[in-house]
Amino acid sequence: MDMKNNTEQVTGSEALLRALVREGVDTVFGYPGGAIIPVYDALMDHMDELNHILVRHEQGAAHAAEGYARASGKPGVCLVTGGPGATNTLTGIADAMLDSTPIVVIAGQIATDMIGTDAFQEVDFTCVTQPICKWSYQISTPEEICWAVARAFFVAKSGRPGPVVLSITKNAQVGMTEFRHEKMDYIRSYDNDPEIDITRIREAAAAINAAKRPFVLAGQGIELGEAQAEFRAFVEKGNLPFGSTLLGLSVMPSSHPLNKGMLGMHGNLCNNVKTNECDVLIAVGMRFDDRVTGNMSTYARQAKIIHLDIDPSELGKNVPVDIPVLGDCRKTLTMLTERLVKVDRSEWIDSFRKYQDEEYEKVISRELQPSGDTLRMGEVVDAVSRATDHKAILVTDVGQNQMMAARYFSFTEKRSIITSGGMGTMGYAIPAGIGAAYARPDRTVCVFMGDGGLQMTVEEFGTIMEHRIPVKMILLNNSYLGNVRQWQELFYNRRYSFTRMTNPDFQILASAYGIPSRRVIDRKDLRDAVREMLETDGPFFLEACVEEEENVMPMTPPGNSIDDMLMEC
Amino acid sequence: MEDNKLYTIIVHSENFSGILNQIAAVFTRLQVNIESLNVSASSMKNVHKFTISCKTTAKNIDKILKQINKKLDVINASCYTDEDIFQSEIALFKISTDEFQNWEDTSRLLRGYNTHIVEVTPEYLVVELSGSGDDIDSLYRELDRINCVRQFVRSGKIAVTASSLEKVNDLLGRRQKRYQERRMQFPAEGQSCSLVRYGDFITDNQK
Ligand SMILES: Cc1ncc(C[n+]2csc(CCOP(=O)(O)OP(=O)(O)O)c2C)c(N)n1
Ligand SMILES: [Mg+2]
């Protein structure tokens, strides 16, 4: 196709699709409707370059776009109609905002001259989405399309990434315009690549070099900034042990000797203890979420805190920072590494061992070599991780299944954990898994979920069926809204208010969709079932019937200091 | 509980629709009332200036500034205390002549406040006062005591900073220079529309 700038007149819909292709879009998750029909009509002429996946609910489209973005590093795109189609994407937009996931949501809108009359399916989507996205804009004329698409993609993926919403009125879709390729890399009101203050770099490097007990917190910012190699060089040169946030778990291989695992409420004990023992705490691309810090008033009070982030609004937001280092961490890490000196810190690094051993004995061994007959979540996760050689992409839903998957899955490759961290959106896993499978057809995608979350977006079984999307779904079925039940058990006197669930026969459900499936009850069948799942071409649904009242341990109870963890109960 | 203090926030933004809404939403989110709000063109083309005052805690002000600065089309938002700015406000009082004539000291009162009489009719006069918020409050109280105020309106505080240069000019200049340097270093392919603003773009096309 001729893509040169010329004076050929095309419809707004055609211009929109050409602009998407020019932005490198190859996959679109969507669902049609009246206010977006012209774009869907034009789509039929672009099927060779744009792969449109028809989801079964627009929430699914938004999460699929998120999964696609997280796995690929490119913005995910979703295309929906106005009114209810648009509002169904809200959960995904808010989720993408809290987890800094670059997605572009394109929603139809009624014709400009009808706006303001409460016309059929009129929702002021721009206004509704403004507080939960990075940029929301209504395209009201065909002339704006190329500009708005260029701006949308630039905004979504640059700086601290996030969701962008474009509403496009019907008259803009059908009106004629000239297609011009617009490229955007500068918006004067928006600093996507903040200037690095060299004084701060020097201060930070000096503090790290002088540190006796440094500890690093690795966040998703490292993945978003594609700074995994720079991070590795940084911690290796400085001999710096680190723990990761939930979203940062795959920035470095799990087996790396400096990698001490996960931070926070259900993280690894050693990390939380060492956070409150270290003399210099270096946070990279993370935001001190309350699930990571526990009680803020006792969090790392003894430490000098260095915070590297690209978003100025994060610096000093939750914890007082001694040395804020604003900038793209790919650059700031490199500048820091250049200034680091090699220091022997083996004694400090070895001191983590004691707590790792304690956790292994009290928690991990019981999870992986349980004494009871019933399957435990941890052993199922471990079996899947091993069977994939720890090379798979892990997608999780929310709840106990999420925490167990995060704790017992191991990673060898970057961009390998896709989970709803900031929002904790149940129902995220299946559609996000679909997105990840399209982004990385070369990798195995393992999707863990609970019986509650599964039923929130189970309609996407239809999408999986239609396209035989190779997602390996593992249901950790405990017949409870387990995460809430755990809180009720521990903090509400075991009063199980509405957390027990009567579930359908998930095997029949999977078979209704023609998805190969298997149920595992006995431990002796686990490995074979996992093998069957991975050897089967296309999708597979594996249901593991796990202990009903298992608890995720260790746990920092709410209000406790982060290092004050329950180890058993 | 931390004490509430009066803060003046000055925001510069692009002249796009919907920005006021986004800024106001930041206050709503934190349940902070806006005491006064003034929006107008600034000395720079296509840049709008918001002068917002509110009473809140230092902690909230920090959150508010961070959230406003995060908005894509906001160029910058800063917070000022009274020493950093010159501020003023205009009020119009519509005073009914009946009560006014019955009270001999009124004209002395108005002169004492440095007011201007803007309009005189047989029924009322319109008096303008520009000055500090306190002056306006106090004149209002005195006139209200004789029950002659028929209408009253105030503009909300406007302010200029004490520093010699408009900070936002500096900021935009620096950003643009850095961008151009980067472009020289890494000449990107394709035609850049980065400097074409939406308003300009439409006019271009309509020509
Ligand atoms: C959409 C949504 N609704 C409610 C919650 C609150 N919530 C968090 S975890 C959880 C229980 C999840 O149960 P299940 O999916 O069975 O997973 P499990 O914890 O049992 O592994 C609930 C209800 C949520 N995070 N998201
Ligand atoms: Mg459950």
Side-chain angles (χ1 to χ4, degrees), chain A residues 180 182 185 188-189 193 315, chain B residues 14 72 178-179 193 201:
Chain A
R180 358 192 257 179
E182 307 261 11
D185 57 2
R188 67 173 180 177
S189 62
D193 185 11
L315 299 172
Chain B
E14 296 293 355
L72 195 84
R178 273 184 51 228
Y179 168 71
C193 66
F201 174 64

Side-chain angles (χ1 to χ4, degrees), chain A residues 125-276:
Chain A
F125 199 53
T126 305
C127 197
V128 168
T129 50
Q130 262 170 353
I132 55 166
C133 73
K134 211 172 154 185
W135 185 52
S136 185
Y137 185 75
Q138 180 177 301
I139 301 173
S140 309
T141 62
E143 288 76 26
E144 296 161 70
I145 290 173
C146 298
W147 170 83
V149 170
R151 201 175 204 249
F153 278 81
F154 173 54
V155 169
K157 67 190 177 201
S158 63
R160 178 178 180 174
V164 170
V165 176
L166 294 177
S167 293
I168 173 164
T169 61
K170 210 155 171 188
N171 51 296
Q173 297 172 40
V174 299
M176 300 302 281
T177 184
E178 166 195 339
F179 172 73
R180 358 192 257 179
H181 175 52
E182 307 261 11
K183 186 176 175 310
M184 182 145 343
D185 57 2
Y186 177 75
I187 295 173
R188 67 173 180 177
S189 62
Y190 162 64
D191 199 358
N192 61 305
D193 185 11
E195 208 164 355
I196 296 164
D197 182 347
I198 190 75
T199 324
R200 296 304 199 187
I201 297 281
R202 289 200 190 101
E203 284 171 14
I208 298 169
N209 286 334
K212 297 258 179 318
R213 303 182 308 280
F215 185 50
V216 178
L217 312 174
Q220 192 198 197
I222 298 164
E223 302 256 35
L224 295 171
E226 283 294 335
Q228 299 91 349
E230 288 75 8
F231 181 75
R232 185 185 197 123
F234 170 69
V235 292
E236 285 181 349
K237 183 165 181 200
N239 251 323
L240 308 167
F242 69 94
S244 306
T245 64
L246 175 63
L247 268 51
L249 279 175
S250 65
V251 302
M252 285 263 279
S254 311
S255 59
H256 193 282
L258 292 167
N259 190 344
K260 303 299 175 193
M262 187 162 75
L263 302 165
M265 179 180 268
H266 291 296
N268 295 111
L269 173 67
C270 62
N271 289 332
N272 293 339
V273 170
K274 295 299 167 182
T275 299
N276 279 2

Side-chain angles (χ1 to χ4, degrees), chain B residues 145-172:
Chain B
R145 206 175 296 146
I146 48 171
N147 205 17
C148 68
V149 183
R150 290 292 163 264
Q151 281 183 36
F152 169 65
V153 67
R154 55 201 296 175
S155 65
K157 186 196 290 185
I158 53 173
V160 291
T161 58
S163 58
S164 58
L165 246 180
E166 185 106 80
K167 267 193 189 158
V168 65
N169 261 331
D170 268 0
L171 184 94
L172 288 178

